[in-house]
Amino acid sequence: MTTGTAIGALKRARSGVGNAGPGRSANNSKRRFSHSRIFFLFLLPSLILVILLNLYPVIYAGIQSLSNGDLLSAGEFVGLANYIAVLQSPEFWHAAIFTVVFTIVGVFGSWIVGISLALLLRTRIPANGVFKVLLLLPWVVPIVVSAMSWNWLVATPQSPLPMLAQALGFGNVLFLANPFLAQITVCVFKVWISFPFMMMMMASALTSVDVNVYEASKVDGATAVQTFTRITLPMIARTTYISWILMTIFCVNDFPSIFLLTGGGPVNSTQTLVVLAYTTVFQNFQTGPGVAIAFMMTIVLVIISTLLYRQIRKVNIE
Amino acid sequence: MTAQTSSVITGRPIAGVRPEAGVRSEAKARSMKRPTLTQMQEKGKWWRFLAILIITVIVVIPIVAVVFLALSPALGSTATGLTFENFVNVFTQTDVATWLKNSLIVTLITVVVAVIVAAPAGYVLSRGRSRAVSGYSLILFVVQSLPVVTAVIPLFFLFAQVGLVDTLASVTIIYVGSTMAVAIWMMAAYFDSIPVTLEEAAWMDGASVFGGFTRIVLRNSLPGVLSTAIFAFLLAWNDYLVAVVFLRSNDNYTLPIGLQSFFQQNQTNWGLVMAVAVIMMLPPVILFALLNRYFSVGGIGGSLAGR
C-alpha cells in the first residue's frame, strides 16, 4: 500500500509551497515575469471553480443564515434571530452532543482498530498481503451499499444479528429501534467504515520506524507495552496526530453513514449537526435555521483546519 | 523531532536507548535466555494468523452478504444454489440501466474535468513560491474541510434560479467543485517528486512554460494523474448528499439515489436490492483490484475530502 502522495500532500502544507525553492536557478529569475502570467492562467480555471462552488456558497450561507427566506426566495434580513432560535432549541444541543460523542468514538475507535491491525500485519503472518487487501474493503465499498448491508444485518427482528442475540439468550434486541442501541450501532458502523483509513495511515508511518530500535529495546528487556508506548508511539506521533484531526473533520462532516442507517432516529437519538441541518432545510423547509446550523459548523471547521495547517507547518520547521 | 532518543509523551529516555548501566547488564543477562525477536515472531505466527483471520472474516461479513444475497435465487423461484436471476430481474423490472448510465456519465465527466483543471493548478502550487500561491494553498486546505451541506443549500438556491435543479449537469458541476481542493493538492504533491531541472533543460531548448509542463512534467506524472482520477471517480460515484438534494426524477437518478429509493420500495426483497447494490459496488472494487496502488493514494485523498 503506498500512501506516498497523500502523505506528500500533507508534507506540502508543512513546507509551504513546492519544492522549487532553493533549487531554482538564476536562469529562472529572468523568466519570472512571464512565469507569473502563465502561472495565473494555469490557476485561473481552478480559481473560478473554487470561488464559485466553494467560497461563494459559504459566504452566501452566512447571508442566508441572517434572513428568513426559503429555498426559492431570498427573504428579509432578520439579524441573529435564526441563531437565537437554533441555540434555544433542545434538538440542536442534543445533536451537538451526539456529534461530539460520534466524533470521539469514530476517531479513537477507528484509530485503535487501525493501529492494532497495522501492528499485527507488520509481523510475519502467512497470507499477509491477502489480509491487507481484504481489510480495506469496508472503505472501498460505496457507503450506500454498506449502509444497506448493515440494514439487512441489524434492522428488523428477523435480521441475522437480532436472531443471533435471541439465540444467545439476550431476548429481543432491536438495534435500530432502541435509541441507545441505535447510537452504538451508528458508532460501530462508523468505526467499521473508517478503520481502513487509519490502518493505511499508521502502516505507512510504521514503515519509517527503524526495526533495529526494537532489537535494541528487546535486548534491554523492554516489555511489549513499554516498546509500544515509549518507542513506537512517539515515532509515529506526528502522523497519528494528523490522522486524528483529519478523522475529526470526516466524522463531523459525515452525512450518509447516519442518514442512510437511521435517518437520525429513533426519536432523533442519532441526529448529528449535519443531519439536523439537512432535515431542517430539506424536510422541514426552514432554510434560515438550517443554514445557521451549517454555518456554525463551518466556522468551527475553518478554525480546526487552520490550526491543523499551522501545526503541520510548525512540525516541519522543528 | 527528538523521538529517537526520548519519548515525546513521557519525556523520559526510551528503554534501550539510554539505559542506566546496571539495568543494562541485568537485562543483557536475561536476554541470553530469551528467544530473539525473529524467533519470537516465528513462534506466534500461527496464533496471529488465526487472530487476523477471525477479524478479517468479521469485517468482510457485511460485504460478502451483499454478494451472496444478490446471487441467491429470486423470490418465488424454483432455482437452487447460486443464480443470476436477481440480476436479470433487476434489469428487466427496474431502471437500473438508466441509473448506471447516469452515474457513468456524471462520474466520467467529473474525472476528466477535474484532472484537466487540477493538473495546471497543481503545477503552479508545486513550482510557484509567491505569497499568493501559498495563500491559495491555505484556502484549498480550509475548503476541503468544510461540510458539503453548507455549500449545497446556497447552491440549490442559485441553481433553482437558473433551472439547473434536477439535471445531471447540476451534480456534475458540484462534484467537479468538490474535487478541486484535494485534486490540486494531489497533483502538486506528485509534481513535487519531479525535478525542476527537467523543465529547465526543456526551457533551454526553447520550450515554453506550457510546453515544458505538458511534454515534460505531465508526461512523467501518470501515477499522480491516476491517483487523482481515482479520487475524483470515488467522490462522484459514491456521493449521496448532493445527488439526493439535486436529483428529483427517476430518469435523472444516479445509482446511489436509485438504489436507495428502490430499497425503500422493496425492503423485503433483499435479492433484488442487493443485485443493484452489487452493480453499484463492482466498478470501485474492480478499480481497486486493478489499480490497487494508485487506489490507496486516491482513496486517502478521497477520505481527505470527507466521506
Side-chain angles (χ1 to χ4, degrees):
Chain A
M1 295 297 105
T2 323
T3 52
T5 312
I7 303 295
L10 296 169
K11 280 189 188 131
R12 299 190 45 68
R14 242 179 289 145
S15 59
V17 185
N19 68 348
R24 210 156 180 171
S25 71
N27 164 49
N28 232 343
S29 58
K30 284 180 209 155
R31 288 177 172 265
R32 188 156 292 155
F33 179 68
S34 68
H35 253 142
S36 60
R37 272 168 98 187
I38 289 249
F39 275 9
F40 180 70
L41 287 180
F42 273 24
L43 277 184
L44 195 60
S46 75
L47 194 64
I48 293 171
L49 285 172
V50 168
I51 290 174
L52 208 64
L53 296 165
N54 293 309
L55 298 179
Y56 161 78
V58 171
I59 294 163
Y60 196 84
I63 298 168
Q64 259 185 329
S65 72
L66 298 173
S67 62
N68 64 356
D70 53 38
L71 280 175
L72 299 172
S73 67
E76 290 163 7
F77 181 79
V78 293
L80 292 174
N82 290 324
Y83 288 92
I84 293 166
V86 163
L87 290 173
Q88 279 175 345
S89 77
E91 261 192 332
F92 170 80
W93 291 106
H94 187 279
I97 292 170
F98 186 64
T99 306
V100 172
V101 173
F102 178 74
T103 304
I104 291 175
V105 176
V107 171
F108 293 105
S110 63
W111 182 71
I112 291 168
V113 177
I115 193 164
S116 311
L117 288 171
L119 285 169
L120 201 57
L121 283 170
R122 196 172 55 146
T123 61
R124 223 180 285 174
I125 291 178
N128 200 312
V130 177
F131 290 123
K132 272 181 196 163
V133 169
L134 285 178
L135 284 170
L136 291 182
L137 278 179
W139 161 84
V140 173
V141 171
I143 210 156
V144 183
V145 172
S146 30
M148 206 144 290
S149 141
W150 276 61
N151 253 308
W152 172 78
L153 268 175
V154 300
T156 66
Q158 288 78 40
S159 304
L161 268 185
M163 297 283 267
L164 182 70
Q166 189 129 38
L168 292 174
F170 289 104
N172 202 358
V173 184
L174 295 167
F175 284 95
L176 296 182
N178 172 316
F180 182 62
L181 274 179
Q183 290 180 332
I184 293 181
T185 310
V186 165
C187 289
V188 172
F189 181 57
K190 183 66 188 171
V191 170
W192 180 78
I193 300 170
S194 314
F195 84 84
F197 170 78
M198 286 293 193
M199 192 176 90
M200 283 196 307
M201 291 289 276
M202 291 301 117
S204 85
L206 284 172
T207 52
S208 65
V209 179
D210 186 1
V211 189
N212 290 329
V213 181
Y214 291 105
E215 297 282 355
S217 78
K218 208 82 198 175
V219 167
D220 288 323
T223 65
V225 177
Q226 280 174 329
T227 311
F228 177 70
T229 56
R230 299 205 189 158
I231 298 177
T232 311
L233 216 45
M235 287 178 107
I236 59 169
R238 200 191 65 221
T239 313
T240 302
Y241 176 76
I242 292 170
S243 60
W244 283 352
I245 297 196
L246 286 175
M247 188 53 76
T248 304
I249 294 171
F250 310 155
C251 285
V252 173
N253 284 340
D254 189 15
F255 174 79
S257 63
I258 290 175
F259 189 76
L260 291 171
L261 207 53
T262 66
V267 284
N268 296 338
S269 58
T270 57
Q271 200 149 45
T272 57
L273 289 174
V274 177
V275 177
L276 182 64
Y278 173 84
T279 49
T280 311
V281 173
F282 292 102
Q283 286 175 4
N284 305 336
F285 304 107
Q286 297 174 301
T287 310
V291 180
I293 297 169
F295 197 69
M296 283 190 274
M297 288 179 59
T298 304
I299 291 171
V300 173
L301 285 164
V302 167
I303 295 169
I304 295 180
S305 63
T306 315
L307 286 179
L308 172 64
Y309 189 83
R310 285 239 183 112
Q311 192 64 33
I312 298 173
R313 293 188 70 156
K314 204 168 74 188
V315 169
N316 183 53
I317 293 161
E318 286 169 10
Chain B
M1 289 253 271
T2 53
Q4 282 84 352
T5 52
S6 72
S7 159
V8 165
I9 290 167
T10 59
R12 276 147 60 190
I14 296 166
V17 179
R18 271 194 239 146
E20 287 139 40
V23 179
R24 168 172 274 180
S25 55
E26 192 192 320
K28 244 182 191 164
R30 260 189 291 148
S31 74
M32 301 302 257
K33 285 172 231 153
R34 288 176 122 187
T36 67
L37 196 63
T38 23
Q39 279 171 333
M40 296 265 295
Q41 288 220 342
E42 207 56 38
K43 212 172 136 195
K45 196 166 82 171
W46 292 101
W47 285 113
R48 287 196 305 273
F49 177 74
L50 196 65
I52 202 107
L53 184 69
I54 293 168
I55 296 168
T56 309
V57 167
I58 293 172
V59 163
V60 298
I61 280 177
I63 297 158
V64 173
V66 172
V67 179
F68 182 77
L69 287 169
L71 290 173
S72 56
L75 279 187
S77 147
T78 51
T80 50
L82 300 178
T83 78
F84 283 97
E85 283 175 348
N86 287 317
F87 289 92
V88 175
N89 290 347
V90 123
F91 273 102
T92 51
Q93 292 168 15
T94 76
D95 294 321
V96 70
T98 314
W99 305 333
L100 182 63
K101 188 194 76 194
N102 290 344
S103 262
L104 284 173
I105 292 173
V106 166
T107 306
L108 292 180
I109 295 178
T110 304
V111 168
V112 172
V113 177
V115 170
I116 290 177
V117 177
Y123 179 67
V124 177
L125 242 67
S126 170
R127 302 299 196 243
R129 48 169 187 165
S130 69
R131 282 212 155 191
V133 171
S134 54
Y136 193 50
S137 155
L138 171 65
I139 289 175
L140 292 179
F141 195 82
V142 171
V143 155
Q144 58 89 17
S145 71
L146 299 182
V148 184
V149 181
T150 318
V152 158
I153 300 165
L155 285 174
F156 187 88
F157 186 80
L158 181 73
F159 283 8
Q161 287 169 332
V162 290
L164 270 174
V165 170
D166 197 19
T167 60
L168 290 178
S170 63
V171 288
T172 313
I173 293 169
I174 296 177
Y175 292 155
V176 171
S178 28
T179 57
M180 265 313 111
V182 178
I184 293 174
W185 273 60
M186 288 178 76
M187 292 305 308
Y190 196 84
F191 294 150
D192 279 353
S193 69
I194 294 172
V196 197
T197 44
L198 281 184
E199 294 134 78
E200 283 175 351
W203 295 338
M204 297 289 247
D205 294 341
S208 64
V209 176
F210 185 75
F213 167 63
T214 51
R215 271 178 277 146
I216 308 294
V217 181
L218 212 50
R219 185 175 278 185
N220 289 306
S221 300
L222 187 64
V225 170
L226 274 180
S227 307
T228 312
I230 289 173
F231 154 67
F233 179 93
L234 289 179
L235 185 137
W237 188 263
N238 293 343
D239 168 78
Y240 178 76
L241 178 53
V242 176
V244 80
V245 168
F246 283 88
L247 303 177
R248 297 298 163 104
S249 54
N250 194 45
D251 286 344
N252 287 329
Y253 280 174
T254 50
L255 268 175
I257 307 303
L259 174 57
Q260 183 66 11
S261 72
F262 182 61
F263 166 65
Q264 276 155 0
Q265 292 154 18
N266 299 274
Q267 294 238 359
T268 46
N269 195 343
W270 282 108
L272 279 187
V273 172
M274 292 310 191
V276 181
V278 168
I279 293 167
M280 177 166 180
M281 118 183 149
L282 268 184
V285 171
I286 291 172
L287 264 186
F288 178 60
L290 293 179
L291 300 169
N292 195 314
R293 197 176 115 77
Y294 310 112
F295 197 98
S296 318
V297 180
I300 285 194
S303 314
L304 281 173
R307 294 184 43 158

mmCIF file with all atom_site columns, all heavy atoms in Angstrom, chain A residues 42 56 77 84 105:
data_model
loop_
_atom_site.group_PDB
_atom_site.id
_atom_site.type_symbol
_atom_site.label_atom_id
_atom_site.label_alt_id
_atom_site.label_comp_id
_atom_site.label_asym_id
_atom_site.label_entity_id
_atom_site.label_seq_id
_atom_site.pdbx_PDB_ins_code
_atom_site.Cartn_x
_atom_site.Cartn_y
_atom_site.Cartn_z
_atom_site.occupancy
_atom_site.B_iso_or_equiv
_atom_site.pdbx_formal_charge
_atom_site.auth_seq_id
_atom_site.auth_comp_id
_atom_site.auth_asym_id
_atom_site.auth_atom_id
_atom_site.pdbx_PDB_model_num
ATOM 1  N N   . PHE A 1 42  ? -2.679  29.290 -15.500 1.00 0.00 ? 42  PHE A N   1
ATOM 2  C CA  . PHE A 1 42  ? -2.764  27.887 -15.068 1.00 0.00 ? 42  PHE A CA  1
ATOM 3  C C   . PHE A 1 42  ? -3.743  27.744 -13.896 1.00 0.00 ? 42  PHE A C   1
ATOM 4  O O   . PHE A 1 42  ? -4.467  26.765 -13.794 1.00 0.00 ? 42  PHE A O   1
ATOM 5  C CB  . PHE A 1 42  ? -1.381  27.387 -14.608 1.00 0.00 ? 42  PHE A CB  1
ATOM 6  C CG  . PHE A 1 42  ? -0.541  26.843 -15.726 1.00 0.00 ? 42  PHE A CG  1
ATOM 7  C CD1 . PHE A 1 42  ? -0.748  27.227 -17.035 1.00 0.00 ? 42  PHE A CD1 1
ATOM 8  C CD2 . PHE A 1 42  ? 0.477   25.929 -15.456 1.00 0.00 ? 42  PHE A CD2 1
ATOM 9  C CE1 . PHE A 1 42  ? 0.040   26.736 -18.064 1.00 0.00 ? 42  PHE A CE1 1
ATOM 10 C CE2 . PHE A 1 42  ? 1.262   25.426 -16.476 1.00 0.00 ? 42  PHE A CE2 1
ATOM 11 C CZ  . PHE A 1 42  ? 1.047   25.830 -17.785 1.00 0.00 ? 42  PHE A CZ  1
ATOM 12 N N   . TYR A 1 56  ? -18.051 31.176 -2.668  1.00 0.00 ? 56  TYR A N   1
ATOM 13 C CA  . TYR A 1 56  ? -19.311 31.900 -2.777  1.00 0.00 ? 56  TYR A CA  1
ATOM 14 C C   . TYR A 1 56  ? -20.427 31.252 -1.945  1.00 0.00 ? 56  TYR A C   1
ATOM 15 O O   . TYR A 1 56  ? -21.111 31.946 -1.194  1.00 0.00 ? 56  TYR A O   1
ATOM 16 C CB  . TYR A 1 56  ? -19.724 32.027 -4.253  1.00 0.00 ? 56  TYR A CB  1
ATOM 17 C CG  . TYR A 1 56  ? -21.180 32.339 -4.454  1.00 0.00 ? 56  TYR A CG  1
ATOM 18 C CD1 . TYR A 1 56  ? -21.658 33.630 -4.268  1.00 0.00 ? 56  TYR A CD1 1
ATOM 19 C CD2 . TYR A 1 56  ? -22.080 31.340 -4.787  1.00 0.00 ? 56  TYR A CD2 1
ATOM 20 C CE1 . TYR A 1 56  ? -23.010 33.898 -4.421  1.00 0.00 ? 56  TYR A CE1 1
ATOM 21 C CE2 . TYR A 1 56  ? -23.428 31.604 -4.930  1.00 0.00 ? 56  TYR A CE2 1
ATOM 22 C CZ  . TYR A 1 56  ? -23.884 32.879 -4.753  1.00 0.00 ? 56  TYR A CZ  1
ATOM 23 O OH  . TYR A 1 56  ? -25.226 33.140 -4.888  1.00 0.00 ? 56  TYR A OH  1
ATOM 24 N N   . PHE A 1 77  ? -33.879 40.467 5.919   1.00 0.00 ? 77  PHE A N   1
ATOM 25 C CA  . PHE A 1 77  ? -32.863 40.404 6.954   1.00 0.00 ? 77  PHE A CA  1
ATOM 26 C C   . PHE A 1 77  ? -33.514 40.317 8.338   1.00 0.00 ? 77  PHE A C   1
ATOM 27 O O   . PHE A 1 77  ? -34.384 41.118 8.661   1.00 0.00 ? 77  PHE A O   1
ATOM 28 C CB  . PHE A 1 77  ? -31.977 41.653 6.850   1.00 0.00 ? 77  PHE A CB  1
ATOM 29 C CG  . PHE A 1 77  ? -30.875 41.702 7.856   1.00 0.00 ? 77  PHE A CG  1
ATOM 30 C CD1 . PHE A 1 77  ? -29.712 40.963 7.663   1.00 0.00 ? 77  PHE A CD1 1
ATOM 31 C CD2 . PHE A 1 77  ? -31.004 42.464 9.006   1.00 0.00 ? 77  PHE A CD2 1
ATOM 32 C CE1 . PHE A 1 77  ? -28.698 41.012 8.591   1.00 0.00 ? 77  PHE A CE1 1
ATOM 33 C CE2 . PHE A 1 77  ? -29.978 42.507 9.946   1.00 0.00 ? 77  PHE A CE2 1
ATOM 34 C CZ  . PHE A 1 77  ? -28.822 41.774 9.739   1.00 0.00 ? 77  PHE A CZ  1
ATOM 35 N N   . ILE A 1 84  ? -30.481 32.588 17.367  1.00 0.00 ? 84  ILE A N   1
ATOM 36 C CA  . ILE A 1 84  ? -31.094 32.522 18.699  1.00 0.00 ? 84  ILE A CA  1
ATOM 37 C C   . ILE A 1 84  ? -32.081 31.363 18.759  1.00 0.00 ? 84  ILE A C   1
ATOM 38 O O   . ILE A 1 84  ? -32.077 30.566 19.701  1.00 0.00 ? 84  ILE A O   1
ATOM 39 C CB  . ILE A 1 84  ? -31.786 33.877 19.022  1.00 0.00 ? 84  ILE A CB  1
ATOM 40 C CG1 . ILE A 1 84  ? -30.703 34.960 19.154  1.00 0.00 ? 84  ILE A CG1 1
ATOM 41 C CG2 . ILE A 1 84  ? -32.607 33.792 20.300  1.00 0.00 ? 84  ILE A CG2 1
ATOM 42 C CD1 . ILE A 1 84  ? -31.236 36.373 19.137  1.00 0.00 ? 84  ILE A CD1 1
ATOM 43 N N   . VAL A 1 105 ? -15.833 8.701  19.410  1.00 0.00 ? 105 VAL A N   1
ATOM 44 C CA  . VAL A 1 105 ? -15.823 7.255  19.190  1.00 0.00 ? 105 VAL A CA  1
ATOM 45 C C   . VAL A 1 105 ? -15.263 6.941  17.809  1.00 0.00 ? 105 VAL A C   1
ATOM 46 O O   . VAL A 1 105 ? -14.441 6.033  17.653  1.00 0.00 ? 105 VAL A O   1
ATOM 47 C CB  . VAL A 1 105 ? -17.243 6.659  19.346  1.00 0.00 ? 105 VAL A CB  1
ATOM 48 C CG1 . VAL A 1 105 ? -17.246 5.182  19.019  1.00 0.00 ? 105 VAL A CG1 1
ATOM 49 C CG2 . VAL A 1 105 ? -17.753 6.890  20.751  1.00 0.00 ? 105 VAL A CG2 1
#
